[in-house]
Amino acid sequence: MTQNISQKIISQHLIDGEMKAGSEIALRIDQTLTQDATGTMAYLQFEAIGIARVKTELSVSYVDHNLLQANFRNADDHRYLQSIAAKYGIYYSKPGNGVSHQVHLERFGVPGKTLLGSDSHTPTGGGLGMLAIGAGGLDVAMAMAGQPFHLKMPKVVGVELSGRLQSWVSAKDIILEVLRRLTVKGGVGKILEYFGPGVATLDVPSRASICNMGTEVGATSSVFPSDVRTLEFLKSQGREADWTELRADSNASYDEIIKIDLNILEPLIAQPSSPDKVVKVREIGGIEVAQVILGSCANSSLRDLLVASIVVEKRKVHPNVSFEVNPGSRQVLENLASGDGFLSLVKAGAKVHQPGCLGCIGMGQAPATDTISLRTFTRNFSGRSGTKDDKVYLCSPEVAVASAIKGVITDPRDLGEHPAIEQPKKLLIDDSMIIPPSPSPEKVEIIRGPNIKPLPPMDPLPADVSGEVLIKVGDNISTDDIMPAGVKILPLRSNISAISDFVFSRIDETFAKRAKKVSGGLIVSGHNYGQGSSREHAALAPRYLGVIGVVAKSYARIHKSNLVNFGILPLEFKNDSDYERVNQGSKVKIISARDKIKNGQDMLSADIDGREAVLIINVTNRERDILLAGGLLNYVRLL
Ligand code: MIC
Ligand code: SF4
């Protein structure tokens, strides 16, 4: 039987289930990655599982999100993560070494392998031909313990690329075009697999940028073939031995096909405050900008920084613009500095920062009130930048640098001829900020500062489920809305009781207090509830406040799994009209919910304010058992 790339990798890692779209499969995971903001919780969970050493081929712990050290908290977390890594057989990438996805691509990714990461942008590895998937920290902890990863077999969408990008148009424009067509929920339950003659025109960093932001359409993963361009990239990293060819069979089929002609693609931009509000740059050119940031795991490779450095050569950043550069990794920074690139950026007036996530997750770089910020980042959800009512646009490095020079949103084609970029044939490579695990793990002591609090215990699902609706929200609620990040809240990620006070705080400051007062309740939402990040705190913290269920029109994949993992019922309205008649304060009761879920019922009759409504519970049998146990950790203990 002919197979596409996704089917090839899945069939080689299939432990259980049938490769039929929508049915549950269990995959063997070769590699895992964590980052600090989700990692502390993932490792607390790994410790609770009680395994002496990770069972994966490779596991890496990155520190890239919580780099500000305004007090002891983040520094405490870093020390905890380093000691855990040393003891349990995990590589530790120190703060300052770069964003997990960029470093993993450079130093660890291998074509044809599976990678599970506690960060939603883990699919970046698809640029190397990996099947790379984002998940909650607990799922990653289970994978480190040697357990398979469970998911519904995705549909495989073939994205056929033809032609070649015109000058000043780059990979970001391709993924923005995908977002324009599919929207932020069009990829849920799907893998985007790229094929066609246009693929060979794209280098690995460009492919990685495209796979990275496949997350923004809600896709489970995105993948490119592994070909000569992949070999060229691995060679530049001194890792050609890791290369294998990976292609779809010549007449492989896809569940759907999308065609993109690269020849006619123009510079695109996503407007505030959703990555799918995409228009041509030309349509909104001329809007004044106050801040431009080049960086994030979508666009901070050496290629992207070299483009910017060459464009600003002999030019100056506009006087009214703060132009900031966040390199993706120390390798990128070192190689930029070894040529003329770094100096060109500094001379032009750029602020060059340490490698890391920084302003992308609101750790600094918040824009001024009522100003426009242009970023090459992944997401522009309202308030994520740290400024209320922010206006953040997402664009390519080319659009960013042109706008930084002109002071207004600028189609880079207005700058004239595109300067040639020359990538170094041989890169400077130095892995000294990646610390291998200890050869004597028994001697390593885990360092726990006062910021690290143990996981709260969780009760099994009660016989009846009842409570009041604590909040009613609309479509596309992101995990940034549910559990905001930023300078104040991100350092509390290792302390569930402290962070739970901020659940929904951007939408309704009274949420946590009200939830605590009535000991929990339910959340009601529209479509695509929980889009965006993999942060399990968006499930764990509401659960801590006593939230027992969410009733939504539909869910984002990772968040739905996180709800199950922490024992929150992910319910759906059978009739969307019931959504209209539920309000904050409505009383919901599902009699014998536990028995019904146990007996495999998928329609639950509920009483909402004295009227009947049918709620759907669309979960697998395994997930039913997890919900009954009160979450995945309880379930594992019962096995
Ligand atoms: C993000 O981009 O939203 C994050 C911060 O990287 C998250 C992870 C987190 O919340 O810690 C993600 O993408 O999963
Ligand atoms: Fe970091 Fe931003 Fe990438 Fe998330 S999207 S991993 S915050 S750079």
Side-chain angles (χ1 to χ4, degrees):
M1 211 184 84
T2 59
Q3 286 187 317
N4 53 46
I5 295 171
S6 314
Q7 290 165 334
K8 284 187 184 183
I9 305 181
I10 292 173
S11 59
Q12 282 157 14
H13 291 83
L14 193 65
I15 288 189
D16 202 6
E18 216 191 312
M19 283 170 50
K20 214 175 81 213
S23 68
E24 191 176 59
I25 53 170
L27 289 183
R28 179 166 46 80
I29 296 300
D30 301 321
Q31 300 189 347
T32 63
L33 70 78
T34 55
Q35 43 92 337
D36 49 333
T38 54
T40 48
M41 206 40 72
Y43 293 112
L44 283 169
Q45 290 161 154
F46 179 77
E47 285 187 282
I49 299 169
I51 306 266
R53 210 73 181 159
V54 290
K55 297 198 168 165
T56 45
E57 288 175 14
L58 173 89
S59 288
V60 191
S61 169
Y62 294 93
V63 178
D64 51 8
H65 282 64
N66 281 332
L67 299 180
L68 291 182
Q69 292 179 207
N71 55 38
F72 64 93
R73 288 195 179 86
N74 292 340
D76 270 14
D77 284 0
H78 302 167
R79 275 165 51 92
Y80 167 72
L81 291 170
Q82 182 160 0
S83 63
I84 283 276
K87 191 169 188 73
Y88 291 107
I90 300 156
Y91 284 80
Y92 176 73
S93 173
K94 288 170 72 177
N97 194 44
V99 182
S100 64
H101 312 301
Q102 177 67 27
V103 180
H104 206 85
L105 193 79
E106 292 166 354
R107 305 308 303 143
F108 295 112
V110 177
K113 298 271 181 194
T114 51
L115 166 68
L116 196 72
S118 64
D119 191 281
S120 68
H121 290 103
T122 303
T124 311
L128 270 179
M130 304 189 84
L131 184 67
I133 301 177
L138 182 48
D139 282 327
V140 177
M142 297 298 287
M144 288 190 285
Q147 295 299 312
F149 176 60
H150 293 85
L151 77 164
K152 285 198 174 148
M153 175 69 196
K155 284 188 173 165
V156 184
V157 179
V159 186
E160 183 177 10
L161 303 179
S162 60
R164 175 180 284 275
L165 291 171
Q166 302 293 304
S167 52
W168 297 110
V169 185
S170 65
K172 182 68 153 242
D173 300 307
I174 302 179
I175 192 61
L176 287 175
E177 173 63 9
V178 173
L179 268 153
R180 191 183 70 78
R181 295 199 204 173
L182 294 187
T183 79
V184 289
K185 51 183 193 293
V188 176
K190 298 173 181 174
I191 295 178
L192 305 184
E193 178 171 322
Y194 291 82
F195 73 104
V199 165
T201 67
L202 300 170
D203 59 13
V204 166
S206 302
R207 296 174 184 185
S209 295
I210 295 169
C211 292
N212 170 289
M213 278 186 69
T215 298
E216 272 49 64
V217 294
T220 304
S221 191
S222 296
V223 65
F224 271 83
S226 168
D227 57 9
V228 286
R229 302 301 302 264
T230 322
L231 178 60
E232 166 195 302
F233 177 83
L234 287 170
K235 257 191 192 150
S236 74
Q237 293 289 336
R239 299 203 292 123
E240 55 270 43
D242 287 337
W243 184 73
T244 41
E245 194 178 32
L246 189 59
R247 287 187 182 283
D249 293 331
S250 55
N251 42 7
S253 64
Y254 297 97
D255 293 300
E256 292 163 35
I257 292 205
I258 297 174
K259 293 183 183 211
I260 300 180
D261 181 356
L262 303 182
N263 290 319
I264 57 170
L265 214 55
E266 293 191 29
L268 298 173
I269 188 162
Q271 304 174 94
S273 291
S274 180
D276 60 0
K277 288 182 77 181
V278 175
V279 293
K280 289 180 181 162
V281 174
R282 187 183 272 159
E283 286 171 31
I284 57 161
I287 298 178
E288 233 172 79
V289 295
Q291 183 190 47
V292 176
I293 316 181
L294 175 59
S296 91
C297 53
N299 282 110
S300 55
S301 64
L302 183 60
R303 180 238 165 246
D304 291 336
L305 269 59
L306 281 175
V307 170
S309 68
I310 285 171
V311 174
V312 296
E313 241 174 44
K314 303 198 184 68
R315 287 180 164 125
K316 292 281 181 212
V317 170
H318 190 277
N320 295 342
V321 176
S322 170
F323 180 43
E324 320 208 12
V325 179
N326 306 342
S329 68
R330 188 172 74 125
Q331 187 191 90
V332 167
L333 184 57
E334 198 176 335
N335 282 283
L336 188 75
S338 75
D340 301 329
F342 186 80
L343 201 58
S344 302
L345 287 170
V346 173
K347 276 184 170 168
K351 291 155 80 176
V352 186
H353 298 265
Q354 66 171 318
C357 298
L358 315 180
C360 184
I361 192 54
M363 291 301 265
Q365 303 179 320
T369 311
D370 283 334
T371 60
I372 304 281
S373 175
L374 212 65
R375 303 168 163 211
T376 64
F377 295 178
T378 57
R379 299 182 166 144
N380 57 348
F381 302 139
S382 176
R384 180 176 158 101
S385 67
T387 299
K388 204 170 182 295
D389 302 322
D390 55 8
K391 293 181 202 69
V392 176
Y393 290 71
L394 306 174
C395 64
S396 69
E398 288 79 355
V399 174
V401 68
S403 308
I405 294 165
K406 297 284 186 191
V408 292
I409 294 181
T410 302
D411 186 323
R413 294 172 297 182
D414 295 349
L415 293 184
E417 208 177 307
H418 192 290
I421 319 167
E422 222 178 286
Q423 297 239 30
K425 284 266 166 312
K426 190 102 198 83
L427 291 172
L428 297 174
I429 292 164
D430 174 3
D431 287 334
S432 58
M433 284 178 82
I434 300 174
I435 316 294
S438 167
S440 353
E442 64 294 342
K443 295 201 186 120
V444 179
E445 269 199 38
I446 304 299
I447 306 170
R448 273 174 241 275
N451 194 41
I452 315 270
K453 296 278 186 271
L455 270 170
M458 291 184 196
D459 294 332
L461 187 73
D464 304 324
V465 164
S466 64
E468 72 174 57
V469 173
L470 294 165
I471 194 166
K472 180 181 175 182
V473 287
D475 291 344
N476 297 325
I477 288 298
S478 73
T479 54
D480 280 281
D481 295 319
I482 305 167
M483 187 71 264
V487 184
K488 190 165 141 200
I489 308 176
L490 212 47
L492 304 175
R493 283 284 182 94
S494 315
N495 184 340
I496 297 305
S497 105
I499 205 170
S500 67
D501 286 340
F502 296 93
V503 173
F504 279 119
S505 57
R506 268 206 223 124
I507 296 179
D508 177 352
E509 276 186 348
T510 67
F511 181 90
K513 231 195 204 146
R514 288 190 294 106
K516 276 187 191 160
K517 201 164 154 207
V518 297
S519 314
L522 292 98
I523 294 164
V524 166
S525 164
H527 282 295
N528 202 24
Y529 181 69
Q531 73 158 328
S533 86
S534 67
R535 67 190 70 147
E536 57 194 354
H537 302 73
L540 183 47
R543 172 71 207 256
Y544 180 82
L545 294 174
V547 171
I548 184 83
V550 178
V551 192
K553 291 185 185 170
S554 64
Y555 292 90
R557 175 189 63 89
I558 306 179
H559 189 60
K560 185 173 174 188
S561 300
N562 284 339
L563 289 174
V564 173
N565 284 352
F566 294 100
I568 297 182
L569 298 177
L571 303 163
E572 283 162 55
F573 290 102
K574 178 154 187 282
N575 300 313
D576 280 359
S577 58
D578 284 325
Y579 169 85
E580 305 305 331
R581 68 179 179 87
V582 179
N583 295 307
Q584 184 171 316
S586 288
K587 302 271 184 300
V588 180
K589 191 159 193 157
I590 312 171
I591 302 284
S592 309
R594 187 178 172 89
D595 281 347
K596 288 173 182 164
I597 291 170
K598 199 171 178 181
N599 297 337
Q601 287 188 24
D602 45 18
M603 300 284 173
L604 307 179
S605 136
D607 178 304
I608 304 183
D609 291 336
R611 277 174 60 181
E612 203 206 333
V614 178
L615 304 180
I616 301 172
I617 177 124
N618 180 7
V619 292
T620 63
N621 288 339
R622 184 182 146 271
E623 288 174 324
R624 280 176 196 273
D625 291 340
I626 295 173
L627 286 168
L628 294 172
L632 184 54
L633 268 183
N634 290 353
Y635 168 79
V636 174
R637 287 195 192 106
L638 293 175
L639 288 182

